Amino acid sequence: MGDDLDERYMRMALRLALKGIGRTSPNPMVGAVLVRGGRIVGTGYHRQAGGDHAELAALKQAGNRARGATLYLNLEPCDHQGKTPPCTHSLIQSGVKKVVAGMLDPNPLVSGRGFRRLRRARIQVHSDVLKREWRRLNEAFIKFITHKVPFVILKLAASLDGSIATSTGDSRWITDVAARRYVHQLRNQVDAILVGVGTVVADDPRLTCRLAGGRDPWRVILDGHLRIPLAASLFQQRGSGRTIVVTGARVPPRKVKTIELLGAHIWRFPFRGRWIPFNALLKRLAKMGLVSVMIEGGGTTAARALLEGVVDKVLFFYAPKIIGGEGKRMIGALGIEKMSGCKNIKDVEIKRFGKDVLVSGYLNS
């Protein structure tokens, strides 16, 4: 019975944590529930970076009722001074008697310190409750804090036979309204969208989140030779200063200046062969505190990301349409000659969005 109750309150904490989705970077999503005598006396979640941590929000709501209570939260309480004080100190002072947590802090520099501090203060600690669910919730943060690079999602929309556009480049619309709305939910959650310049030239996308109350992610354009049109719609959007054009070392200075005057940033990287290296770019994005990046196309960019091994998760939308062999392929050449060399997807899930189907899974899980 005790385990069932633990899971029940932990799932409440999960629902609370999800309220902070897309707003907590570079911090994790955390929810907290305080229970005393079978009654919930306080709840909280991490709303945004720099704000109260979930456990502190729950303690403030509970007040004196926190004494003798059990705290349920998904992540080990912090034990170091950051933008906010250590949560372990607040928990000890509040008189909480037990902490039930989903998982250790994945940061190798601090992992386990919070639990040790609580145990030394004679607070009971029970961890790894719904650990798999919590790891999936904060998969981007875990990758970011352990590898110092963002979590990378490859999102593509294609016909059943694997084309993202017709031979003329027409791609509007492959998927239906429900799938496209979900993509805007994803844009509201991730820190950056990345596309190749070919997608900008062909589709002139805005790369914004068009949900009421949604937030626009950073827009990152891979453009080795600075082919991007100066009239591109993404330069005209709100927050144009959140646009980064990634190019090579030898590009026209005048066009660089013009793009910067439009409010965008120019990042220059030396080519590796014919391409801008993904790993160097991701490390620089991580230094900005960007935890998650969603690649939205096109086929060449998708292939390069897969070849360099930077993709963690795939989201492939398939529409019940057939375009034929002359269509533009969703993924460019990978040089695979034998089935043993294929990119294998793990933990595959399938979901319907109206007539369309989403196939998701992991490469680096």
Side-chain angles (χ1 to χ4, degrees), residues 118-135:
L118 295 176
R119 289 187 174 111
R120 285 199 296 269
R122 301 186 184 281
I123 295 175
Q124 301 173 51
V125 174
H126 179 40
S127 64
D128 293 348
V129 179
L130 301 183
K131 182 178 180 179
R132 187 177 187 279
E133 287 89 335
W134 292 119
R135 288 189 65 85

Side-chain angles (χ1 to χ4, degrees), residues 209-226:
C209 171
R210 295 190 283 280
L211 298 179
R215 100 195 189 310
D216 290 340
W218 281 83
R219 298 174 283 266
V220 182
I221 316 302
L222 289 186
D223 185 5
H225 301 287
L226 214 56

